[in-house]
Amino acid sequence: MFQPKIPTMPQPSGLVTPPAVVQPTTITPDTPAPAPAAAPEPSPPVVQLTPGTAVALVGAGTAVVLVVGAVLVSLLLAVAVTSASVAVCAVVLRSLIASDAKRR
């Protein structure tokens, strides 16, 4: 019942053809390739901050800081509530065990 079943290898079906042999070829260059022309180096893009974009950047940064802060505070609050509930459960269990020991 619990004996492992060993799979059997399937037999090849149909004709099996050997792989084709590829003969190597030699490459003889006719003429040397021309040297590439030196391209002018592109100048780095210049970023111009207008008062509108500066206000938008400050607003976006403030929004990101507020969202990240809210998430971190909510995580800290969740940890605090969980630890307080675990502490209350521990006190209740301790009192139950102590009162059970006094009755005996």
Side-chain angles (χ1 to χ4, degrees), residues 3-85:
Q3 302 239 344
K5 294 181 181 178
I6 300 172
T8 59
M9 292 295 290
Q11 297 298 323
S13 60
L15 297 174
V16 179
T17 59
V21 178
V22 178
Q23 298 294 332
T25 60
T26 59
I27 299 174
T28 56
D30 293 336
T31 59
E41 292 187 24
S43 61
V46 177
V47 178
Q48 294 179 353
L49 288 179
T50 62
T53 56
V55 169
L57 285 175
V58 169
T62 303
V64 167
V65 167
L66 288 176
V67 168
V68 170
V71 167
L72 291 177
V73 167
S74 64
L75 287 173
L76 182 64
L77 184 62
V79 169
V81 168
T82 304
S83 62
S85 64

